[in-house]
Amino acid sequence: MADTTAPDPATRDILAIFERARTRLFGRLEGLTDAEYHWEPVDDCLSIRRGDDGVYRVADLFPKPAPGEPDPVTTIAWRIWHIGSLCLRGYVIHFFDDAPEFPDRHEWPGTAKEGIQALADDWEQFISRIAAMDDARLLAPIGRGPGGWAEETYLKLALHALVEVSHHGGEIGLLRDLYLREGA
C-alpha cells in the first residue's frame, strides 16, 4: 500500500485516489469464488482458460466485436487479468526503467484467490513507482514508452490507470451482483 502522506500535493492526491480505488475494488473482490471468477453469463465470453499444458492463459488481449455486433462479454477473471497484467504490469514494463522480470503476460492464475493476489502484486508494482515520484517528475514528460506516450506525463499515465481500474472494477462489481442473482 502506497504512502498517501507524500509532501508534494499532486503525488499525494493521486496516491490518495488510488488508495480509495484499491479499497473499493478489493472490497468488492472479497469472498470471490472460483465459480464466480470463471462465470460466463453469455455464450462465447472471453476469459482465461486452462491450456493442454495446465497453464491458464488469456484468450484475447484486445477483444474486438464483429462488424455490427456488440463488444464481447468478458469474465471476472479476464477483467482482473486486464487490470493487473495488461494495464498496471504493462505500464511498469513500458514506462519505468526498473521493471522487474515478469512472466508471460498471457498467463494468469486459474483460481480467484491467486488471481486477486496477482492483481494486488501488479497494483503494488505500479503504485510504488508513482509513490517514488515528486511532483516535478510526475508532471514532466515520461520520456519513453509506446504509441506517443514519451511526451505525456506520469500524471496522465496514472489517471489513465485509474480510468481502467474504475471502468473494469465497476464491471466486476456488476458481474458479481448478477452472479449472485442469476448464476448461483
Side-chain angles (χ1 to χ4, degrees), residues 81-142:
W81 163 84
H82 180 82
I83 295 168
S85 183
L86 191 64
C87 297
L88 299 174
R89 185 186 307 174
Y91 300 159
V92 170
I93 291 168
H94 292 295
F95 300 109
F96 295 91
D97 292 329
D98 65 339
E101 289 294 322
F102 287 112
D104 182 345
R105 289 176 60 208
H106 288 82
E107 293 180 13
W108 194 252
T111 68
K113 182 178 179 181
E114 291 170 335
I116 292 167
Q117 184 58 55
L119 173 60
D121 294 344
D122 289 337
W123 188 289
E124 186 56 33
Q125 288 285 342
F126 179 76
I127 204 64
S128 66
R129 283 161 177 79
I130 298 297
M133 295 181 182
D134 59 15
D135 280 6
R137 184 63 188 118
L138 189 67
L139 299 171
I142 295 170

Side-chain angles (χ1 to χ4, degrees), residues 9-30:
T11 303
R12 181 187 61 239
D13 290 351
I14 199 74
L15 292 174
I17 295 298
F18 260 97
E19 180 55 22
R20 182 168 167 93
R22 187 195 66 75
T23 299
R24 294 183 86 175
L25 175 61
F26 284 87
R28 285 296 297 195
L29 292 171
E30 285 180 19

Side-chain angles (χ1 to χ4, degrees), residues 38-115:
H38 291 286
W39 180 57
E40 297 190 23
V42 299
D43 292 337
D44 297 326
C45 279
L46 295 178
S47 191
I48 60 165
R49 291 189 170 67
R50 185 189 324 245
D52 292 339
D53 60 359
V55 176
Y56 282 84
R57 290 183 180 82
V58 68
D60 196 340
L61 291 178
F62 300 105
K64 291 187 173 67
E69 296 292 323
D71 287 344
V73 175
T74 59
T75 63
I76 291 174
W78 188 95
R79 292 171 197 281
I80 291 173
W81 163 84
H82 180 82
I83 295 168
S85 183
L86 191 64
C87 297
L88 299 174
R89 185 186 307 174
Y91 300 159
V92 170
I93 291 168
H94 292 295
F95 300 109
F96 295 91
D97 292 329
D98 65 339
E101 289 294 322
F102 287 112
D104 182 345
R105 289 176 60 208
H106 288 82
E107 293 180 13
W108 194 252
T111 68
K113 182 178 179 181
E114 291 170 335

